Structure formats: C-alpha cells, structure tokens
Amino acid sequence: MRVLVFFITSLILTFLPTCCVAGDFIPTVYVYSGDMPGFGEELVELLDGSIEGFEFVAIGDPTLLSSLMPMPDTACIVLAVMKGKEVETLITPLITYFMEGGALLGFQGCLSLNTVGELARVGFPVFGNATGPFTVKGGVPVNEYVRGEDVPGFADLPDQFDLLGQFYAYSANSSKDPVDPRPATGSKRVVYRDESTGAPMIVSYENDAGSRSISLAGFFVRPTETARNYYGKLLGDPLFKDLMVDCISWTLDGATRAKRFATTYEDMIADERERRQGLIQTAERNKSDLQRRRMLLLAIAWAVGVVSMVGLVYLGFFRNSG
Amino acid sequence: MPRIDPKLAVIMSVAIILSTLVVLTIFRVDQPEDITVLRNRAPEVFVKESAQKGIETVFSFGALSGREMEEMVLKFSILYQEPPPYDDGDWQPGEDTGLEELVSHIPIITMLETKAMALGGDVEVIERDLEINGTVYSSIFYDFSGFLGIFNEEEDLSRWTTLFAVLKSEDSVRFFKGRTGFFLSQDEVVKYLMVSYNDNKSEYLGSEIPDAPFGILRYSHLSKDDKVTLIFEVLSQVDQLPEIPLGAKDRLILQLIKGYADGELSVFLVNGVPMG
C-alpha cells in the first residue's frame, strides 16, 4: 500500500509542472491590414477553416502585431497592405520575426525598396522600384498571370489566369524594363509572371534558415465599394482564395518557429518556472539559515551576559559575606 | 588613589551588560535589502538630436548585492507615451475609475494577457504609486517580456513591443508601450555603454554596441556586496524616436529598471523623462 502511495505521489510530482502549463497552442495566421481593416477582416473570413489546425485572426493595430510576433504559436503573418507606411513601424520587428523562423506573405506595400527598405530586401526580394500597368478586361482592371518556375504546392492552380489588381510592383532597370535580381542568400523562385512583360508577380523565397515568404506584387486594391479595384471583388473570386491557401500553406511548410515550439513550448515554460521556483526556494532556505544563525548568536550573547551578571553579583555581594 | 566601592562597580557592570542585551534584542541590525540601489540617474529632458543641441543624455545605475545570491538579474526597458487606445472612442475614464477597469478598455493589453494565459504562461503585472516630476500617479505595468523571453533571444526580444504601462492621476491618463533594452533602437542610438561587475569592466563604443547586452544583465553566484555599475549615453537622430504629434505636449519616456534577486522582484524603479 505504502509503495503504491509513494508511486502515485511520485507520478503526480513528476507531471505536475507540465500539467500546470498545459495551454491552448493553436498555430495562428495573423492577417494585418493597417489602412483597410475591412480587407483584413474579410480575408480572415474567407480563409478561416481552409487550412486544418490553423486559426486566422485579423489585426489592425501594428503594436499588437509586434507583440504577437514573439508568441510561440504565431505561425504566419499576412501583410495585406498596399502602402509601405502601413508597415513602417514594423520593419525591424518583422525582419526579426522572419529571421527567427517566421512565415510571411506580403502584398504590394511590402515590396518597395523606397518605402520599406530592409524588409523588402530581407523578406520580400522583389526589389520593387517601379510599378507596371494593368489590363482592363470587361471593365475590370486585371493582371495577367502566367506560370513561371515549378514550385511544389501550386500545382492545383491553372497555368494562366487573370486576377483583379491595379498596377504591380517590380524591379526595373534604367529603361524601366523588368529585371529579376537575386537575393544574396536563400532561394528565390518566380511562381507566376506577368504575361506581357515577364515581371515577377508571385515570388516564393526561402532563406538559408528555412524561413519562407511569398511576395504578391499584383493585388493593388481599394476599400471603396464603387472603385473598379474594390477588394470585395478580389475576395469574391474563388481563384484568389485557392491562391492564398496555396501561398500560406507553402510558407507554413518551411522551418517555422511555431512548428518548433508546438512540441516544446510546455516543457520550456515548465523548465523556466521550475528554475525560478528552485532559485526562490534556495534563497528562502539560505535566508532562514542566516536568520537561525543570527538567533543562535543572540542567544549565546544573552547566555554569556546573564552568566556574567550572575557571576558579578555573586562576586560583589555574596562571596565575602559567605 | 580613591577606592571604588566593589558593590558600585558590580551594579555598574550589570547595568552595562543589561543595557547591551536590551539594545541587541530591540535594535538588531536589520538584514540589508537583497539589492541596494547605489545610483540611479536619467537625463532631465530627452530631445531628438540632443548632441547637436548640447544636451547631455547619460543614464547611469549602480547596485549592490545585499547577500549571497545564486542569480541577480537587472532588466532595463524603455517605454514611450502614446494616446490610450481605448476600445470605445467615446469612453473616457473618470476621476474614480480604477486602474483595472481602465485597462479592461485597452484591448491590446487584455488580448495579450489572455493569449499568454491561454498558453499557460505568466504575465508580470505590477501596480505601484509613482511620483514623476512632482505628480503622483497610480500606475500599472504589464510586462510580457519574461514570458516571451522563454522563446526568444534577448536581442530579438528588444525589437518587439512587450511592455505596457498605464499611469493615472485624477482624471488624466498616460499610456505607454515599450521594449526591453537600454534604449529604443539600442544598436543605433546608444553610442557608449559601460557595464562593470566588481573589477570586471566592459566598455562598448560605436561599432561595438551590437555586441553589448540588450538591456538584461545576468550575474550568477554573487557574494554579499558585489557591485554592478552601468553607464550609457544615448545620441538619437530624428527617425529613431517615436513621433510626437503636432500639438501634443508634456510627453514622457519611462525608463523602467527591475532587479530580481534569486528570481524574486527586489528593485522596481521608474524614471520619467520629459520629451522635448
């Protein structure tokens, strides 16, 4: 019986720290849109449930996004931004996130060297310095996509398609012709090009550490419902949803930090908590030892004092009289 | 030579011993603080391009261990002021609105707290009364850096917003957000940094700054009276500090210094520096 009680107690003590930290680890894809919160929210509505095991959350506040990046379950960040200004306070946080195993998807606002500098260089190597024209088909501005390199994960999409968009960001030489510069490190591949100019429209990138990003050069949309390139029209195209799902899934297949932490985060929290508890307990033990030593010294001082007094009184008052 | 009555001598000796014992008992020497702050200085005002304007922007801090310790951690953070981001634009706190109620209207804090708790983590919430430039504030600090530090290197951590603070005095509210590190954009802005631990001194100047610690100083196996000193100078350019919107006056930067002795918070200092 005693052995059984001991065994159960040991079992509880062994697994207690882990049980205490058991939390909800739900890998999350954050969709950030600073100027068009409606676009971000509707994109989340469109994508939610499309990738099993992942949650989609819309974010409109750059500070909140910055605070969520270091969370262990942040799986991917979709930057649904049209202007560099929307991410200007997020450049360093996003670079850090990407370098440490983050997955990124960036719309046109992330691709211009002029406005987002290092972020465009490190995370979205389109090296945009110019914008190209669109084609109007049936009164709708579109970009014409044609398949480029064969990148696994995009095979379900047609080789050629049109999707709503106005202008596209690209890297141009001095004659405004598209060029396709390579990043210093990592692997960049053009998944789709513009049909007429050959400019990269959808670019996949994997850095040396295995972090992945997708640059979407062509989807310049507006929030006004009456605009020809209103985002609602893009979101209503089933092909766009398929493309987004493929893009996000491809980035999630990289060496992401969320994947790394999914199996270790509980142990990491428990280890830190145990370490801290250990320090506190040792400190308390040391403090009470010190207190005990002080009390002992005080007791010795008292004893010596009392004995001295008794001795003195005896010597002064009783020795001669005896 | 006058003869002293032995009885008088005994009475005097007993009186001396008794009074010594009473003094020893009542006025026992108190144990010193776990960490004693020897020096804590921040600039009187912080302006952009301070060097060009001839304004000194040197921060310094010194501390002493009050006992033997397994570990002492000194954590430096910088928070800057922004308008409070309430969930409802029409909502305004009154004079009697408590800090917790106030924070419940700031979704960024509540959302992050919920997230951290859901993951099984701890959030350090500290409520204190503070005096900054003659005004007494009730304050609440939310520090997520301890939890997020489990998963991220200290240098990376200093790039993300991980701290928030709300200061309230009567009906005026100040909201702050910030990061760990000696200053915002530390590797670009801090021009000189010196850290010493007893006789071991490390100096970082100019291009060496990226090799310096990023706001967190850790020491192990300390003896009593071990001393840590920190001095750093900040020279900021225009784009390295948060924008002050036109018309916004009376903005503050907060330097938060926390000291942990064997895992327990022992020092909590807040230096409020007006932004010029």
Side-chain angles (χ1 to χ4, degrees), chain B residues 119-135:
Chain B
L119 284 164
D122 301 313
V123 181
E124 195 176 25
V125 183
I126 300 169
E127 232 178 306
R128 295 279 160 96
D129 284 340
L130 299 174
E131 190 185 331
I132 297 173
N133 298 331
T135 308

Side-chain angles (χ1 to χ4, degrees), chain B residues 24-43:
Chain B
L24 264 178
T25 310
I26 298 173
F27 302 104
R28 275 183 299 166
V29 180
D30 279 336
Q31 225 169 305
E33 296 287 321
D34 286 347
I35 302 172
T36 304
V37 175
L38 301 174
R39 184 213 310 227
N40 171 32
R41 279 193 203 147

